[in-house]
Amino acid sequence: MKLMKIGAALSCLLVLAGCKDFAGYTTVHRKITLVDGRKNIDIQPGQYSGKLKVNSKKKIVLEMQLPSGKESFTFKTTQNLKKMNSGDRIRINAGVSGQPYAVDGLYDVDYRSGDVQSGTESCTYYTREYRCRQVSEPERCETVTECDPANPSQCATRTRCFGGGGTRTECGYEDVSHIGSRDVEYYYSTTTESVNIKLYDKDQKAVATFSGSESDSDRHTTRTGNCY
C-alpha cells in the first residue's frame, strides 16, 4: 500500500482541538512593528524560527526567535479557533487583533499511511504447570480470659501465641508466564496539521508570512500471530 493522501471527506473530520504548537518560520518581507505586552518591537526583514500557538479559542500567539531574544505576539479574534476543520480559513481584522496588522491564513490536515510491514515482536504466553513451594508457617495467636476457680469474679485477659517458625510444602497447578515472540503485520499513519498565515498592512499588502506544522504518527497492527 503506497503513501496516499486520504480524501477531503476524512480530512474534514479532523478538528483543531486542544493546545497546538505549530513549529515553523516567519518570513518578514519589510520592516514591521508588533506589540508584545506593552512594548512595541521593530522587526527587520528576514526569516525567524518560532511557533504559532493555539492555546485558546479566541487568540493565537506568534512566537519569534529574534536577534534580541524570543518574543511573543498575541492576535485576538472573534473566530472560534477550536472548531476549525481542514480547509478552514483564519481571518482576523486589525481592529480586533490588538496588532497593527490583519491576518489571513489557512488551516489544513494531511493524512498519510505507509506500506504494510512484517516483523516479529516480543509477547507473553502462559502455561498451566504443577508446582510445589515451601511456605512459612505463620505464628497463631489467640486472646483468652482466665478466671480464678476459687474466686470466679477475679478474671484476667491475656494473649497466647504458638506455632510459627517452621515451613510446609504446598503443591498445586498455577499459571506460569513465559517470554516469547510472534509474527505481526502493521503500518504507520501520520497526521500532519499545518497553518499558513499572512500579515497584511492597512493597504492590504502582505508584510510577513508564517508557515508551520505539527505531526503525530501512530502504528496500526493488521495481523497478529500466535505467541510461542
Side-chain angles (χ1 to χ4, degrees):
M1 179 168 59
K2 299 213 172 179
L3 287 176
M4 58 183 294
K5 181 173 180 178
I6 305 302
L10 174 61
S11 295
C12 288
L13 295 176
L14 299 171
V15 179
L16 180 61
C19 297
K20 296 292 183 181
D21 290 350
F22 298 96
Y25 293 90
T26 299
T27 302
V28 178
H29 307 307
R30 64 176 178 81
K31 178 184 173 182
I32 62 174
T33 301
L34 293 173
V35 181
D36 182 2
R38 296 184 178 181
K39 59 183 179 181
N40 293 334
I41 306 294
D42 291 333
I43 305 171
Q44 301 297 326
Q47 187 177 72
Y48 305 94
S49 62
K51 296 179 180 179
L52 183 70
K53 306 180 75 170
V54 183
N55 295 335
S56 76
K57 63 182 182 180
K58 294 300 181 182
K59 68 180 181 181
I60 58 177
V61 177
L62 179 61
E63 290 187 354
M64 299 174 63
Q65 188 64 44
L66 302 176
S68 58
K70 184 175 72 174
E71 300 288 351
S72 299
F73 308 105
T74 299
F75 292 79
K76 299 177 182 178
T77 178
T78 58
Q79 187 177 3
N80 188 344
L81 297 173
K82 289 301 184 71
K83 288 189 176 181
M84 294 189 64
N85 296 287
S86 179
D88 283 353
R89 301 202 69 82
I90 302 173
R91 290 190 173 98
I92 305 175
N93 294 327
V96 175
S97 70
Q99 300 288 346
Y101 305 100
V103 175
D104 184 40
L106 179 68
Y107 166 71
D108 197 11
V109 179
D110 182 73
Y111 179 92
R112 294 179 181 268
S113 58
D115 296 338
V116 174
Q117 304 177 51
S118 299
T120 59
E121 65 180 12
S122 61
C123 57
T124 302
Y125 67 94
Y126 296 85
T127 57
R128 193 73 172 166
E129 299 180 12
Y130 190 80
R131 294 278 181 96
C132 294
R133 66 182 71 234
Q134 295 296 310
V135 179
S136 298
E137 288 281 4
E139 184 181 51
R140 297 188 299 277
C141 297
E142 62 181 17
T143 301
V144 296
T145 301
E146 297 178 339
C147 299
D148 185 352
N151 189 0
S153 63
Q154 297 295 319
C155 299
T157 300
R158 66 184 182 85
T159 300
R160 60 184 182 185
C161 298
F162 51 90
T167 61
R168 71 177 188 274
T169 301
E170 287 187 351
C171 298
Y173 285 95
E174 61 183 58
D175 292 326
V176 179
S177 65
H178 306 273
I179 301 299
S181 63
R182 62 188 177 190
D183 296 328
V184 291
E185 290 184 354
Y186 58 92
Y187 70 94
Y188 287 96
S189 66
T190 301
T191 302
T192 301
E193 298 174 81
S194 61
V195 170
N196 295 278
I197 65 171
K198 292 183 178 182
L199 305 186
Y200 290 90
D201 63 13
K202 61 182 180 179
D203 297 321
Q204 297 300 306
K205 293 182 178 180
V207 296
T209 60
F210 171 84
S211 294
S213 62
E214 180 182 81
S215 296
D216 290 305
S217 294
D218 294 296
R219 174 174 155 164
H220 307 273
T221 301
T222 57
R223 188 185 70 82
T224 302
N226 294 326
C227 186
Y228 299 102

